[in-house]
Amino acid sequence: EDHAGTSTSDGNGNGGNGNGSAGVAVVEAIVHLRGQDGVQVGPPLKVPTTIKPNNLKVLVNKLLLTSGAAQGDDNLDGVDLGDEHTMRPFTFFIDEVELETDLSTHLAKHGNSLESLQVTFKPEAWFKVLPVSRCSATMTGHSESVLSVNFSPHSRSLASGSGDTTVRIWDLNTQTRMHECKGHKNWVLCVCWSPDAAVIASGDVNGLICLWEPEAGTHLGNMKGHKDSITSLCWEPAHLALPSRRMCSSSKDKSIKVWDVRTRTCLFSMHSHRQAVTC
C-alpha cells in the first residue's frame, strides 16, 4: 500500500526523500554590512535571499541608531531614524555592482559567492523638509504696520520698512533690533539689501529712495526723481558687478529708473508702461 507523502520514486524505482539536498534553493545568506569607508556596521547577519534594498535601508538605519554611529551628525538633528518616512536613504553595492533587485536575483545574475558576502552601503543625497508648526520668534518695535522685509545676503540680519516711516535693522541671531533708521517722511513700502550687504535701499510713498549703511545704521543719502510711490527696488546682480554700483526702482508714476548709487544720480529712465509699475 502506498502512503501518500511518505516517499517518492523515480522512473528507475529508486526511492528518495522529499527533502533531498539536490536542487534545493538557498534561502538565506550571511552578509557583512560596511560603509563606504570600509568600516563594518554591526555583526554579520543572516538574512533571507529575498531581501531588497528597501529592507536593507531599514536594517542599516536601525544598526546606525543602535551603534550610536549617527550621534553627532548635524544632518540627523531632529530626525527619527526609526521612522520609515525619515530614514536616511542608502544605495547598496556588492562587488561594486549596485543592488537593484532582491538578493537572490542579483546573485543569480552576477554569480557572486555566498561565502562572506560583503554589502557596501553609500548614503544618497538627502533633503529634509521640516514642517513649520509654530512661530519660532517674534521681533517687536515698529509702531505701525510692517510693509516690507528683506533678508541680508549673509542671512544674519533683516531689514524692515514700516508705516511708522522708519527702517529697522534686526540681528537674527539674538532677534533684537540693531538700528532704527529715520529719514523718510511717509510710509516705507520696500527695502532691499545690496548683494554685498554693504548698503540697504528703501523707498517710500513720496517717491524718495534712502540709502543706509547697515553696520552703523547711518544715512548715506537720498535719491529723488520719482513723482509717486516706490513699488520695488532691485540691485545689479553680483556676478555683473561687485560691489554693485547700480540699482533700479519702479514706481506708480509708470516709470522705471536706473541709478548710480555712488553719485546718487539717475542714469536713465524708462517710460513705456501705461499703468503703475509694481515690480
Side-chain angles (χ1 to χ4, degrees):
E1 181 181 353
D2 185 13
H3 296 282
T6 350
S7 64
T8 57
S9 60
D10 57 19
N12 297 322
N14 297 322
N17 192 323
N19 296 324
S21 59
V24 176
V26 177
V27 295
E28 290 182 334
I30 304 295
V31 299
H32 301 260
L33 294 169
R34 301 182 183 275
Q36 57 184 348
D37 55 0
V39 178
Q40 181 169 320
V41 176
L45 300 172
K46 181 185 289 186
V47 299
T49 55
T50 55
I51 196 168
K52 295 182 178 181
N54 281 341
N55 307 121
L56 287 172
K57 181 187 75 170
V58 175
L59 188 58
V60 169
N61 275 275
K62 294 286 187 182
L63 287 172
L64 290 175
L65 188 63
T66 303
S67 65
Q71 299 298 321
D73 189 341
D74 293 338
N75 292 323
L76 299 179
D77 288 345
V79 175
D80 181 8
L81 292 180
D83 185 345
E84 181 180 355
H85 300 289
T86 58
M87 286 185 178
R88 191 165 197 171
F90 293 98
T91 305
F92 297 90
F93 297 85
I94 300 175
D95 293 338
E96 301 300 324
V97 179
E98 183 177 354
L99 177 64
E100 298 178 317
T101 60
D102 61 83
L103 188 58
S104 60
T105 303
H106 182 92
L107 296 177
K109 180 177 180 181
H110 298 283
N112 302 95
S113 172
L114 285 174
E115 297 182 4
S116 187
L117 193 61
Q118 305 290 330
V119 179
T120 303
F121 58 89
K122 299 179 182 180
E124 296 180 345
W126 189 35
F127 303 94
K128 295 184 300 179
V129 179
L130 300 180
V132 178
S133 57
R134 61 183 178 84
C135 177
S136 60
T138 301
M139 299 182 293
T140 59
H142 285 294
S143 58
E144 296 290 343
S145 301
V146 176
L147 304 175
S148 177
V149 294
N150 190 234
F151 286 95
S152 64
H154 49 55
S155 300
R156 295 193 297 269
S157 303
L158 177 76
S160 60
S162 169
D164 63 11
T165 74
T166 67
V167 173
R168 290 179 184 245
I169 304 170
W170 307 86
D171 185 329
L172 294 178
N173 293 320
T174 61
Q175 291 149 16
T176 56
R177 187 191 72 188
M178 295 170 58
H179 306 290
E180 182 180 20
C181 307
K182 298 181 179 180
H184 290 283
K185 303 298 181 183
N186 212 324
W187 297 352
V188 182
L189 299 179
C190 49
V191 291
C192 188
W193 291 76
S194 63
D196 58 358
V199 181
I200 299 173
S202 57
D204 66 20
V205 170
N206 294 339
L208 177 68
I209 300 172
C210 293
L211 303 174
W212 313 92
E213 197 282 313
E215 290 300 321
T218 54
H219 187 196
L220 300 177
N222 299 328
M223 297 188 297
K224 301 178 181 179
H226 284 293
K227 299 177 181 178
D228 208 334
S229 303
I230 305 294
T231 55
S232 68
L233 298 168
C234 186
W235 289 82
E236 185 175 18
H239 70 277
L240 295 179
L242 195 68
S244 297
R245 181 169 179 171
R246 295 180 294 182
M247 69 173 302
C248 64
S249 59
S250 64
S251 171
K252 286 188 176 181
D253 65 8
K254 308 176 188 178
S255 71
I256 298 173
K257 293 183 181 292
V258 178
W259 305 85
D260 186 318
V261 175
R262 293 183 184 177
T263 61
R264 294 189 287 279
T265 56
C266 179
L267 299 177
F268 56 90
S269 300
M270 292 171 278
H271 297 274
S272 296
H273 290 281
R274 297 184 179 180
Q275 297 293 332
V277 185
T278 57
C279 58

